[in-house]
Amino acid sequence: MPTRTATAVWEGGLKAGKGSFKGQTGLEGQYNFSSRFENGAGSSPEELLAAAHAACFSMALSLGLEQAGFAPQKVDTQAACTVEKSGAGFKITRMLLTTRATVPNLDDAKFQTIASATKEGCPISGALKNNVQLELNATLVT
């Protein structure tokens, strides 16, 4: 299995400094104290983690649906990653996944079972489990 890489550079002190990141495929962005802990312009590590979790969950849910004998047409997931002050520092405390899936011939109860199992089993969820509160709102689109 492949190993993926990314780099990040931070210049200056915490509040006045600035950073940039770049993934091996060209994904890149800028971040700073304001974009991470306030509502300033730029990205943040939490945004990247949310994107990774949304992508992982969507792909894993598609797999779970296929393995259960259903043909998903679309899985659209938003992940909301919350970072909060914790003691002298900060901690990622919550990840909320909101997903909408279009899957013909599937009832909601079965869909909820598959979605819940996916929340527990996707690789990013596994990395966060027992450290971050994981929540899921799953909607089956008919």
Side-chain angles (χ1 to χ4, degrees), residues 44-67:
S44 70
E46 292 74 26
E47 179 183 21
L48 295 170
L49 184 57
H53 203 178
C56 184
F57 181 86
S58 290
M59 200 172 189
L61 181 55
S62 179
L63 172 64
L65 290 163
E66 283 182 329
Q67 288 177 333

Side-chain angles (χ1 to χ4, degrees), residues 69-117:
F70 301 97
Q73 294 176 343
K74 182 178 181 181
V75 177
D76 182 354
T77 305
Q78 177 188 47
C81 182
T82 302
V83 62
E84 297 180 300
K85 185 88 169 110
S86 177
F90 293 87
K91 179 176 177 16
I92 294 172
T93 57
R94 179 176 182 239
M95 184 72 80
L96 170 62
L97 298 169
T98 302
T99 194
R100 295 176 51 85
T102 305
V103 188
N105 306 314
L106 175 61
D107 66 76
D108 190 61
K110 181 70 174 174
F111 171 70
Q112 294 299 329
T113 299
I114 296 167
S116 181

